Amino acid sequence: MPRYNPKETEPRWRAAWEREMIFRARSPAEAAGQPKWYVLEMFPYPSGKLHMGHVRNYAMGDVVARYKRARGFNVLHPMGWDAFGMPAENAAMESGVHPKVATYAQIANMRSQLKTLGLALDWDREFATCDPEYYGKQQAWFLKLLRSGLVYRKESEVNWDPVDMTVLANEQVEDGRGWRSGALVERRKLTQWFLRITQYSDELLKGLEELPRWPEKVRLMQENWIGKSRGLRMTFAFEGVAPQGFEGGVSVYTTRPDTLFGASFIAIAADHPLAQSLAAADAKAAAFVADCKKGGVSAADIETAEKMGYDTGLKVRHPFVDGQSLPVWIANFVLMDYGTGAIFGCPAHDQRDLDFARKYDLAVRPVVIPAGEDAPTFAVGKEAYVGPGKLANSDFLDGLEVEAAKAEAISRIEAKGQGQGATVFRLRDWGVSRQRYWGCPIPVIHCAKCGVVPVPEDQLPVVLPDDVTFDVPGNPLARHPAWKNAPCPSCGGAATRETDTLDTFVDSSWYFARFTNPRAAEPIDKVAADYWLPVDNYIGGVEHAILHLLYSRFVTRALKDEGLLSVAEPFDGLFTQGMVTHEAFQSRNGEWLTPDRIEKRGNEWVDRELGTPVTMVGVEKMSKSKKNVVAPEDIFEQYGVDAARLFVMSDSPPERDVQWSTGGVEGAWRFINRVWTEFEAHEIPDETVEQGDDAASTALTRATHRLIKQVGESIEQFRFNTGIARLYEFLNVLKANPPIGAGPDLMAARHAALSAFARLIAPFTPHLAEECWARIGGEGMASTAPWPVYLESLTVEDERVLPIQINGKRRGEITVPAGLAEQEVEKIALADPATMRHLEGLSVRKVIVVKDRIVNIVAG
RNA sequence: GCGGACGUGGCGGAACUGGUAGACGCACCGGACUUAAAAUCCGUUGGGCCGCAAGGCCUGUGAGGGUUCGAGUCCCUCCGUCCGCACCA
């Protein structure tokens, strides 16, 4: 029997699609009222090599794009390259190849690999973020934000990666180490460019509520990241003579103003101006402050770090208790960049404050008494009480519940003019400066006379110079005199260009908008953007749940306020897909081994070549270092692209990891061949034969209609694995009704079934679908054929098999017409011989009939 | 520590709003075809028990309890795994 030959069919159909340009998205004008659908997978970094993760990611988007197209939507499904970034520059330092040369070569490689996937992409819209045409537009809107104050410069302590020689955003520091280099991060002070994302804190938080098509998990992560808290910002006045410059007192922020009467100290951060000022005059304080900075910043260090403090000797007055004073300490556990960098400590009701108080023997006064405890006897030992309760030992707050006490404390402080209710966010402004070459140049010029001057719009883009070297660490732009020196646009005097480039997250925070018209003269073609945005299905890894998605949401809002586009939220539907994993093996001496040389003998994993036992370390993300990578091109070569696409979507729910297995992909390959066998054997029936009404053809017709419904729903709901399972199931039905010996009625039903089937598999295995479609004489191509329609009436069986339970245990079943009334079903059930046998000697107390579902008889 | 997700055969996983647990695939086993193997095709398979058989019974979704005619699904307690954040006052 001739097997299906993907090596011949797949390239042929890809060429046909390209020739007919069927995946080109229509412009808003061309579309004229046709509904749009924008499908976007997170665009790749051009590493130069396609991996299985890409295959899964892009195959999923492709399923939706092809499905929506068949449903009559004008689909935008573009592709581009997130092409700036450190890998290319690091490679340049090692190998001497220029980042630009290397990047475009890698793009070329990956483009051709991606094209073999047979994706329904509009390649006409392709761009790379390192194209001057793209980053020039980015510079243009950057300057708009600069003018409206959303971009600013400030000196700030930054995370400095000593290996990559660059500044990292907080988000790029993981466990105190650079996210890429893994080097321990240092703190340095530099003047940096920032985007004022905090101006949108509240909007970004509220906006999450309008994103029901996002995973709950991602919304929660963003919510926590933005970290809104409500509390009180208030000032404690110094007792006696205030230190110079701090006559106004110490400002603190608290979310527990109800516990004010339990306060026993004030603690300020080591970076707090007051601490700095004290350190300048006091050697001991200076030593302590220096000590605080020394501590490691890794998660483990922080967790185990002991609370440390230094008593400044200063005292402040309690706002409500005359004569009570609180000592002011410098403490290592207080953060300068949250709230005001100072707190009041209430040890009884905060664990950190309690640890600190126990160590330095400060007072612990409970003021919130849990229900069932008495104020005079309630004591706090080693664990602070943070639960609900009634206030005590708190003057005017006594007897109030926590929430009421908070409100009362705030209004009393406000009345005294010593502070006011405040909302604080955890979110910080986005530092976008990178001391790097391979990024978008920040388009400003520094002039000694005029200060920071934007590059005039007609001089954009500020293009990266090509003649740079990477033989020494640091930023090549900073040591390129011809590029760096430029006349001041304002006064014409000698001036220098900004040599910082933008964080690559800026590049990826608006590319989805540029795709709507990538050749527009403006950064964003408003007509096109308003037509296409928001993205209807945005698909990518969950690792971008916070940074990329939050930045994109922010930039979209900022650009909306600039009038560049109209939507506030860029991504209406978000889907985070799982990774492709594979078993990873290690020999007994710890060497990683490729899975293809391992086989299972009994319960043992054995190295096939050496015959030695090996350890299956686990099922992990494919990675070079663990040697558990399966190269997509090898799979394409052996089984074809369709089999690879099908397998990565069939074996697990899309949001979960899928485990690569040879058996699995062979199963997909088997399916493809079985499908082809059915189509090959099919004889196109005479058109004059009407569909029959015999039992077999009716059953097949019903099964077909049910399948159309199920597959459509699976795709809409991103449950590709169950949709594919239904296709497998249907193939078994087809095989159970073979053409051999079939009459004209069944042949007609089979033809209709195959016609639908070819179109239903098209999103998953598009090349096979075309071949099948052509085989049965389908009009045009499967990729352009309309989605088959089903009749609801044909999706339900006209008979139902109802299980009969007696006291909750299944005892038999009856077959009844669908929709039969409860009383009728009850009669049939009670008359059923098997039921009667089980009911012998029992009396029926109650019969529950769930229509078309089940019968449960309660008897005793 | 805080927040969240999840736990179903040998494996990946199905099971709509509480209604026949184990769809579909992998693996395994048996059979057909073959000189043989591969490929292909057909069939069996949660565990246990009774029966020559037809068939029947018990048990079963991490553990324990609860609600319900009925629980994988809802509630409580516990155990375990994974993910995010992390001294955020």
Side-chain angles (χ1 to χ4, degrees), chain A residues 435-437 468 474-481 483-484 497-500:
Chain A
Q435 289 64 46
R436 280 273 161 172
Y437 164 76
V468 287
N475 185 353
L477 294 177
R479 51 172 193 269
H480 190 298
W483 183 82
K484 192 178 173 183
R497 286 187 191 282
E498 171 64 61
T499 60
D500 283 358

Side-chain angles (χ1 to χ4, degrees), chain A residues 526-841:
Chain A
K526 192 151 188 270
V527 173
D530 288 355
Y531 173 76
W532 287 112
L533 293 175
V535 176
D536 296 285
N537 291 116
Y538 194 40
I539 307 169
V542 72
E543 66 271 20
H544 293 112
I546 298 176
L547 305 186
H548 164 58
L549 291 171
L550 192 61
Y551 292 152
S552 298
R553 296 181 59 221
F554 156 61
V555 168
T556 301
R557 279 169 191 274
L559 296 182
K560 175 181 184 257
D561 290 348
E562 293 294 333
L564 271 68
L565 44 74
S566 302
V567 297
E569 289 292 340
F571 313 121
D572 188 55
L574 174 70
F575 189 86
T576 53
Q577 105 277 10
M579 298 179 301
V580 181
T581 61
H582 197 10
E583 290 150 328
F585 296 95
Q586 251 178 339
S587 70
R588 287 290 137 96
N589 57 29
E591 188 193 352
W592 292 100
L593 303 167
T594 56
D596 56 359
R597 62 187 282 179
I598 311 296
E599 70 181 14
K600 196 160 193 182
R601 296 186 188 156
N603 283 330
E604 288 266 281
W605 297 98
V606 177
D607 185 325
R608 194 182 294 136
E609 286 155 45
L610 303 174
T612 52
V614 298
T615 313
M616 205 272 277
V617 181
V619 177
E620 304 187 37
K621 180 180 181 174
M622 287 187 179
S623 79
K624 254 188 238 164
S625 62
K626 288 178 180 162
K627 293 201 179 166
N628 62 342
V629 176
V630 174
E633 57 269 29
D634 294 350
I635 302 301
F636 300 164
E637 170 71 17
Q638 212 175 342
Y639 305 101
V641 169
D642 282 343
R645 289 176 53 135
L646 186 62
F647 172 65
V648 291
M649 286 189 289
S650 68
D651 223 34
S652 291
E655 69 278 10
R656 237 183 281 179
D657 291 351
V658 65
Q659 186 184 339
W660 183 267
S661 75
T662 311
V665 73
E666 278 170 357
W669 170 231
R670 215 158 14 230
F671 172 77
I672 287 168
N673 277 292
R674 280 154 50 100
V675 169
W676 178 237
T677 308
E678 286 299 307
F679 278 86
E680 251 230 316
H682 183 68
E683 304 269 343
I684 301 169
D686 192 334
E687 277 183 38
T688 57
V689 176
E690 289 285 313
Q691 247 178 51
D693 57 0
D694 61 294
S697 34
T698 305
L700 185 56
T701 302
R702 284 182 184 277
T704 306
H705 282 250
R706 213 175 315 133
L707 180 72
I708 297 168
K709 182 180 184 182
Q710 288 168 334
V711 172
E713 285 174 355
S714 308
I715 295 173
E716 301 265 5
Q717 296 164 28
F718 271 75
R719 295 166 8 144
F720 308 128
N721 57 324
T722 56
I724 292 167
R726 298 287 87 84
L727 291 167
Y728 274 73
E729 216 167 44
F730 187 77
L731 185 62
N732 293 334
V733 174
L734 275 175
K735 291 187 89 75
N737 293 282
I740 301 156
D745 285 355
L746 183 56
M747 284 310 286
R750 273 184 62 89
H751 186 71
L754 290 179
S755 165
F757 195 76
R759 287 174 283 165
L760 294 179
I761 60 173
F764 304 98
T765 55
H767 310 86
L768 173 68
E770 294 293 0
E771 201 64 16
C772 293
W773 185 246
R775 177 71 188 72
I776 59 163
E779 200 179 315
M781 285 194 265
S783 300
T784 53
W787 196 248
V789 285
Y790 66 89
L791 294 174
E792 186 66 43
S793 60
L794 287 176
T795 61
V796 288
E797 293 289 349
D798 48 5
E799 283 194 332
R800 287 297 169 98
V801 177
L802 304 186
I804 297 181
Q805 293 185 341
I806 293 169
N807 292 332
K809 289 205 164 111
R810 190 176 177 281
R811 294 301 182 197
E813 58 186 36
I814 52 171
T815 305
V816 299
L820 189 67
E822 276 89 344
Q823 306 92 299
E824 297 300 314
V825 173
E826 184 175 331
K827 265 186 227 162
I828 296 169
L830 289 172
D832 179 63
T835 312
M836 286 166 75
R837 189 157 47 79
H838 277 102
L839 286 174
E840 241 167 72

Side-chain angles (χ1 to χ4, degrees), chain A residues 253-268:
Chain A
Y253 173 72
T254 179
T255 55
R256 291 299 302 271
D258 54 309
T259 64
L260 253 173
F261 287 92
S264 50
F265 64 94
I266 296 290
I268 62 174

